């Protein structure tokens, strides 16, 4: 079979997607790449900067690649601190990947985000097709990325597909500098120290998803019948929506002594306030059968079980 290449494979999502793809399609059929070299990796790995077009072409040809999961990006908080670099990595990187896909006939998965929405978007039950005027650099690159993927599909027939992921919660690789990172940090801190200082306000609703559902969504979308995909590059997908107070209350069911303080980061609070409270993901459910397995309660049970084992608590 043609190989599967992942960019940004050492990140929060890539590190777990790599293992899932290896299990599904064969260990040696997955080519993990990232701009940095890991101390060790179980599988085929190449250093690859996604903004370097000729290295992308070389790697695709060398490994006979047919599918690209393009995960390399700067996330919202990092992008806000380094907006020019975010444009270069998120936009130039995506353009190079799409161009390589066009030339070599690859299909491409490019994740978008809740960050593709902005303060003028309806915040509750955010429709699939709605106003998108984001105010963060991350959001600007995500909307432009969605449009660029649409363009490559319509103009050149490239099989591009994508999801608007919410905040992803996981326990393998730490998140890379986003606004939703608190919902991962809180579990580590609760299990290790019994307390957490949250950088978002207690009543900030955001969409979230547990990593197994995020991985399942990407692979299911890439395997879906393309004739059914009306919204091919930007499917709203969510599994739950909660506030910091609500996740803390859920954690207290397992760790009754857990306490939380607040020290608001105005940059990340501003970004969070501009994002939806809860997206409507009906299009994903209808067009390719999206259905999450985990809700806040089952995710919390699993996160605390895994982290307690890891930290010997
Ligand atoms: P991450 O920050 O954890 O990982 C990104 C990886 O990209 C890192 O390993 C980094 O070394 C690599 N990278 C950075 N610049 C690069 C370059 N020039 N060339 C190659 N690699 C480079 O990110 P993630 O959370 O795994 O996110 C993956 C994708 O999913 C991104 O497009 C992100 O916007 C999207 N997404 C993530 C979330 C989330 O909560 N994690 C939510 C919505 C969307
Ligand atoms: N988790 C991501 C972020 O906060 C959402 O795209 O940047």
């Amino acid at each position: 079979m043609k190989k599967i290449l992942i960019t940004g494979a050492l990140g929060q999502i890539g590190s777990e997607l790599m293992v899932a793809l290896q299990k599904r399609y064969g260990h040696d059929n997955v080519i993990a790449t990232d701009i940095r070299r890991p101390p060790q990796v179980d599988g085929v790995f190449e250093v690859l900067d996604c903004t370097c077009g000729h290295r992308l072409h070389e790697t695709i040809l060398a490994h006979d690649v047919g599918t690209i999961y393009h995960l390399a990006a700067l996330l919202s908080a990092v992008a806000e601190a380094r907006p020019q670099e975010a444009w270069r990595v998120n936009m130039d990187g995506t353009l190079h990947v799409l161009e390589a896909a066009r030339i070599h006939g690859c299909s491409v998965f490019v994740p978008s985000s809740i960050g593709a929405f902005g303060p003028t978007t309806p915040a509750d039950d955010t429709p699939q097709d709605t106003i998108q005027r984001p105010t963060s650099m991350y959001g600007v690159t995500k909307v432009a990325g969605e449009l660029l993927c649409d363009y490559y599909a319509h103009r050149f027939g490239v099989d591009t597909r994508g999801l608007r992921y919410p905040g992803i919660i996981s326990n393998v690789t730490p998140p890379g500098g986003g606004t939703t990172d608190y919902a991962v940090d809180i579990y580590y801190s609760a299990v290790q120290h019994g307390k957490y200082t949250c950088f978002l306000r207690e009543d900030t609703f955001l969409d979230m998803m547990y990593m197994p559902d995020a991985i399942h969504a990407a692979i299911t979308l890439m395997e879906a019948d393309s004739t059914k995909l009306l919204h091919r590059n930007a499917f709203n997908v969510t599994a739950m929506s909660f506030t910091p107070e609500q996740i803390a209350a859920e954690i207290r069911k397992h760790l009754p002594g857990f306490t939380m303080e607040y020290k608001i980061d105005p940059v990340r609070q501003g970004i969070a306030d501009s994002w939806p409270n809860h997206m409507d993901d009906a299009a994903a459910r209808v067009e390719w059968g999206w259905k999450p397995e985990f809700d806040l309660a089952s995710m919390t049970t699993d996160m605390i079980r895994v982290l307690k084992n890891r930290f010997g608590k």
Side-chain angles (χ1 to χ4, degrees):
M1 70 171 270
K2 288 244 180 201
K3 303 280 178 19
I4 300 167
L5 182 138
I6 310 173
T7 70
L10 301 182
Q12 186 193 6
I13 297 176
S15 56
E16 296 201 48
L17 179 67
M18 173 173 56
V19 176
L21 291 173
Q22 286 171 339
K23 276 192 191 140
R24 191 163 181 84
Y25 301 109
H27 191 262
D28 295 338
N29 288 327
V30 180
I31 318 301
T33 72
D34 203 289
I35 197 168
R36 56 200 164 95
R37 185 174 287 287
Q40 58 183 42
V41 63
D42 179 17
V44 185
F45 181 84
E46 295 238 14
V47 172
L48 175 63
D49 180 343
C50 68
T51 65
C52 182
H54 81 267
R55 276 285 298 135
L56 262 167
H57 291 288
E58 275 175 13
T59 312
I60 288 168
L61 283 173
H63 293 280
D64 192 24
V65 169
T67 302
I68 304 170
Y69 284 80
H70 174 46
L71 303 184
L74 300 196
L75 272 75
S76 59
V78 178
E80 219 40 40
R82 307 203 296 267
Q84 293 80 9
E85 186 187 341
W87 179 269
R88 195 179 61 75
V89 175
N90 296 10
M91 292 316 308
D92 292 356
T94 301
L95 183 60
H96 280 297
V97 165
L98 289 170
E99 206 30 33
R102 179 184 71 81
I103 291 165
H104 300 290
C106 303
S107 50
V108 193
F109 174 79
V110 183
S112 184
S113 160
I114 48 174
F117 297 116
T120 51
T121 303
D124 294 310
D125 294 325
T126 304
Q128 172 66 47
D129 300 305
T130 186
I131 300 162
Q132 290 183 268
R133 304 291 291 177
T135 44
S136 68
M137 176 51 97
Y138 180 68
V140 169
T141 66
K142 285 296 167 188
V143 175
E146 290 180 5
L147 294 172
L148 202 53
C149 288
D150 279 349
Y151 178 76
Y152 266 74
H154 297 145
R155 174 80 169 79
F156 301 118
V158 178
D159 184 5
T160 56
R161 306 181 186 200
L163 303 167
R164 290 183 187 135
Y165 274 138
I168 307 299
I169 295 163
S170 66
N171 52 50
V172 174
T173 302
T179 301
T180 58
D181 293 12
Y182 93 84
V184 180
D185 302 343
I186 192 172
Y187 287 109
Y188 280 77
S189 199
V191 169
Q192 290 179 284
H193 312 298
K195 59 183 182 182
Y196 180 63
T197 304
C198 186
F199 59 76
L200 293 185
R201 220 178 37 241
E202 60 187 15
D203 61 350
T204 310
F205 271 102
L206 287 170
D207 278 305
M208 301 280 176
M209 185 182 292
Y210 198 28
M211 185 63 87
D213 281 327
I215 300 294
H216 179 69
I219 294 174
T220 306
L221 175 63
M222 289 306 281
E223 291 183 351
D225 176 354
S226 69
T227 62
K228 304 231 164 73
L229 303 179
L230 303 178
H231 298 91
R232 57 171 40 245
N233 287 306
F235 284 100
N236 288 1
V237 281
T238 185
M240 59 193 98
S241 167
F242 55 73
T243 65
E245 261 319 277
Q246 289 172 333
I247 188 174
E250 196 61 41
I251 289 172
R252 266 183 219 110
K253 292 180 186 168
H254 301 261
L255 304 168
F258 173 64
T259 58
M260 185 148 84
E261 294 177 349
Y262 292 88
K263 188 173 174 211
I264 308 306
D265 169 6
V267 173
R268 284 179 287 187
Q269 185 65 55
I271 293 173
D273 286 342
S274 75
W275 288 357
N277 297 332
H278 179 255
M279 290 186 287
D280 175 359
D281 60 7
R285 290 173 189 260
V286 169
E287 291 178 38
W288 52 275
W290 162 241
K291 191 170 183 292
E293 184 186 338
F294 287 90
D295 60 12
L296 176 58
S298 53
M299 175 180 74
T300 299
T301 301
D302 201 55
M303 281 293 285
I304 289 180
R305 178 187 61 78
V306 170
L307 294 177
K308 273 186 166 176
N309 281 343
R310 180 165 322 148
F311 297 118
K313 299 282 180 180

